[in-house]
């Protein structure tokens, strides 16, 4: 379902107008017999740097094992760990031999500096080999966020998360410990189309990661793009920090019974504000929404 909801119902005639409106995309509940979820394609990236001492690494490993336990044979997973060095402990593999996958987590111990960006990129590379429409691809980063090696600039890292979101690889972050870098971890999740969580122990993160898995398994629309078509020289600006894609904006994925939204600002030239008796509906011809459903089929719908 597509709703376009204006903040105001009209335009000021004979003046330039700045008009904001909400675009809301929502999905009805899918009956269980109709629902066929997409398989997951995950990379679990764990910070094993010295700052993860004091039990934080152990809690991150416990959380990662719980994540692996939630997967089934249709899903794929990779395990990546990092300090100032990057290791692919388990290359992307079907989640069939869980004992083997979890064994890759048992050798980790805190050491060294923190190349968070390098570890995250290694996770992206693992899921990118299977990031086609048949999978839901996401990097799950467990870290205190205290990056001090490699690229550490929050803006640049977040911009890369946003870029990979356009390539169907999203990022969620799990901040571990009391002193995690909330600014960096939140920016990565927000720009990467995922979710940001934090906690001191694996128990603190059980509910958030269950929520994450339930959401991923309930997605009914991915690669969601919204394109707007206005009259004349009307221009549009999306106020959410979503990436540009395919002549429009890449919105977050939509789950069954869920919704996503964007706020758009339209700039209406003076010469157009007197047309159509000042009715707001005259400035937006249509919104075109493209997406891929959970069976891998592409769709495009138009809201006039």
């Amino acid at each position: 379902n597509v709703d376009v909801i204006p903040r105001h119902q009209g335009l000021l005639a004979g003046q330039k107008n700045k008009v904001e409106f909400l675009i809301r995309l929502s999905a009805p509940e899918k009956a269980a017999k109709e629902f066929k979820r997409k398989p997951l394609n995950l990379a679990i990236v764990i910070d094993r740097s010295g700052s993860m001492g004091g039990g934080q690494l152990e809690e991150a490993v416990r959380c990662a094992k719980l994540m692996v336990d939630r997967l089934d044979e249709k899903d794929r997973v990779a395990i990546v760990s990092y300090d100032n060095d990057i290791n692919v402990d388990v290359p992307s593999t079907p989640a069939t031999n869980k004992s083997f996958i979890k064994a890759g987590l048992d050798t980790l111990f805190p050491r060294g500096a923190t190349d968070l960006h390098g570890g995250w990129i290694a996770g992206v590379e693992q899921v990118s080999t299977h990031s086609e429409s048949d999978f839901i691809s996401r990097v799950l980063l467990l870290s205190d966020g205290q990056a001090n090696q490699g690229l550490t600039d929050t803006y640049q890292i977040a911009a890369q998360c946003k870029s990979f979101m356009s390539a169907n690889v999203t990022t969620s972050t799990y901040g571990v410990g009391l002193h995690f870098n909330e600014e960096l971890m939140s920016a990565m999740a927000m720009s990467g189309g995922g979710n940001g969580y934090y906690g001191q122990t694996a128990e603190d993160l059980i509910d958030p990661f269950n929520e994450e898995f339930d959401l991923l398994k309930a997605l009914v629309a991915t690669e969601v793009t919204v394109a707007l078509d206005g009259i004349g020289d009307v221009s549009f600006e999306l106020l959410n920090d979503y990436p540009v894609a395919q002549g429009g904006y890449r919105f977050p994925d939509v789950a069954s019974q869920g919704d996503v939204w964007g706020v758009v600002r339209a700039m209406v030239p003076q010469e157009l504000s007197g047309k159509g008796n000042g009715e707001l509906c005259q400035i937006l011809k249509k919104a075109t929404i493209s997406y891929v459903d959970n069976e891998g089929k592409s769709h495009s719908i138009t809201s006039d």
Side-chain angles (χ1 to χ4, degrees):
N1 300 318
V2 182
D3 297 305
V4 179
I5 305 168
R7 185 174 183 181
H8 302 290
Q9 295 301 318
L11 302 173
L12 295 174
Q15 299 185 30
K16 292 181 180 179
N17 280 261
K18 182 190 298 183
V19 182
E20 294 172 356
F21 55 92
L22 179 77
I23 296 178
R24 183 173 61 207
L25 312 178
S26 56
E29 181 180 8
K30 298 276 284 187
K33 64 181 180 181
E34 299 174 355
F35 190 80
K36 177 184 176 183
R37 78 167 180 91
K38 279 188 176 182
L40 305 181
N41 171 33
L42 306 179
I44 301 174
V45 179
I46 298 182
D47 181 349
R48 63 162 192 257
S49 64
S51 62
M52 289 287 286
Q56 292 181 175
L57 177 57
E58 288 83 352
E59 296 302 327
V61 167
R62 288 175 60 204
C63 188
K65 288 181 176 181
L66 292 171
M67 292 176 177
V68 172
D69 285 334
R70 287 291 307 267
L71 301 176
D72 62 35
E73 67 278 358
K74 298 188 299 291
D75 303 317
R76 300 188 66 89
V77 64
I79 304 295
V80 175
S81 63
Y82 69 89
D83 45 48
N84 45 289
D85 294 319
I86 315 298
N87 286 94
V88 178
D89 303 287
V90 180
S92 182
T93 184
T96 49
N97 188 344
K98 294 182 180 180
S99 297
F100 167 76
I101 295 168
K102 290 191 286 186
L105 295 162
D106 289 332
T107 60
L108 305 183
F109 60 92
R111 64 186 190 192
T114 310
D115 187 359
L116 181 149
H117 174 259
W120 169 73
I121 282 289
V124 169
E125 290 171 348
Q126 287 298 306
V127 299
S128 292
T129 58
H130 300 279
S131 62
E132 58 270 16
S133 297
D134 292 342
F135 287 94
I136 295 168
S137 300
R138 181 162 293 188
V139 178
L140 306 176
L141 173 65
L142 289 83
S143 173
D144 61 6
Q146 302 297 334
N148 54 26
Q149 290 279 306
L151 181 62
T152 60
D153 182 79
T154 296
Y155 177 82
Q156 293 183 54
I157 295 174
Q160 290 188 18
C161 291
K162 186 175 179 180
S163 176
F164 281 110
M165 176 187 170
S166 297
N168 305 320
V169 175
T170 55
T171 298
S172 285
T173 59
Y174 290 75
V176 182
L178 286 174
H179 305 293
F180 79 101
N181 185 340
E182 182 176 3
E183 179 184 7
L184 174 58
M185 299 285 276
S186 297
M188 291 180 71
M190 183 177 298
S191 298
N195 303 290
Y197 308 104
Y198 67 92
Q200 288 183 258
T201 68
E203 281 74 19
D204 295 334
L205 293 172
I206 286 175
D207 286 343
F209 98 74
N210 278 328
E211 175 186 314
E212 172 112 30
F213 271 64
D214 290 341
L215 173 66
L216 288 172
K217 292 184 176 184
L219 291 179
V220 295
T222 59
E223 302 178 42
V224 181
T225 302
V226 176
L228 305 174
D229 185 15
I231 65 169
D233 293 328
V234 174
S235 61
F236 299 103
E237 175 190 6
L238 185 70
L239 301 187
N240 305 69
D241 190 23
Y242 299 156
V244 175
Q246 300 176 7
Y249 298 98
R250 171 68 185 270
F251 272 51
D253 300 332
V254 186
S256 176
Q257 290 186 280
D259 57 33
V260 300
W261 54 269
V263 177
V264 175
R265 177 177 293 154
M267 303 301 295
V268 185
Q270 179 179 345
E271 60 271 19
L272 294 177
S273 61
K275 295 187 177 182
N277 296 319
E279 294 180 2
L280 184 59
C281 64
Q282 300 297 318
I283 68 171
L284 178 62
K285 287 182 181 178
K286 63 182 179 181
T288 301
I289 295 86
S290 302
Y291 67 96
V292 176
D293 68 19
N294 51 355
E295 295 182 351
K297 298 176 182 177
S298 298
H299 301 266
S300 182
I301 58 177
T302 299
S303 176
D304 294 322

